[in-house]
């Protein structure tokens, strides 16, 4: 029988390996991704958004014209979206 987020507790999921771990984490992320940014915004009283904006405002000064940016931990994609929106007209 396959492992799923519905049938395992977080503690059990932590101990999974290989394909079972991948399935568990994928299902968990799919479930929370819809509300992740909203919950973060609420819990942090906006501090996560402020931190992201400040970090991106600092970063762009170090980029060469035409540079490409890779967000390797993109999660919900908010940082990539904001960076593209804010700096698309930069160069």
């Amino acid at each position: 029988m396959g492992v799923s987020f519905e049938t395992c507790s977080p503690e059990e999921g932590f101990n999974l390996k290989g394909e079972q771990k991948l399935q568990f984490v994928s299902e968990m992320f799919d479930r929370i991704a819809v509300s992740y940014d909203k919950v973060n915004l609420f819990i942090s009283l906006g501090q996560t958004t402020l931190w992201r904006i400040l970090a991106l405002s600092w970063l762009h000064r170090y980029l060469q014209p035409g540079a490409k940016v890779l967000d390797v931990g993109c999660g919900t994609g908010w940082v990539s979206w904001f960076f593209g929106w804010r700096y698309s007209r930069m160069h």
Side-chain angles (χ1 to χ4, degrees):
M1 180 175 171
V3 173
S4 76
F5 185 69
E6 295 291 328
T7 61
C8 284
S9 70
E11 294 82 13
E12 292 168 326
F14 181 79
N15 293 317
L16 295 172
K17 304 283 185 228
E19 288 296 318
Q20 289 183 330
K21 179 77 159 211
L22 178 61
Q23 181 180 351
F24 178 83
V25 171
S26 295
E27 286 183 25
M28 181 179 65
F29 185 78
D30 287 347
R31 183 177 244 188
I32 65 170
V34 176
S35 59
Y36 181 80
D37 282 331
K38 291 176 191 167
V39 171
N40 251 355
L41 181 65
F42 179 74
I43 290 172
S44 72
L45 301 174
Q47 293 300 302
T48 55
T49 301
L50 179 61
W51 176 88
R52 291 170 179 169
I53 291 169
L54 289 173
L56 294 174
S57 297
W58 171 83
L59 176 64
H60 88 275
R61 290 181 266 178
Y62 298 94
L63 298 175
Q64 299 294 320
K68 296 188 186 314
V69 175
L70 175 63
D71 183 1
V72 295
C74 72
T76 61
W78 188 93
V79 170
S80 298
W81 169 83
F82 179 82
F83 199 78
W85 171 78
R86 174 66 175 87
Y87 300 109
S88 63
R89 300 169 306 280
M90 191 169 110
H91 299 291

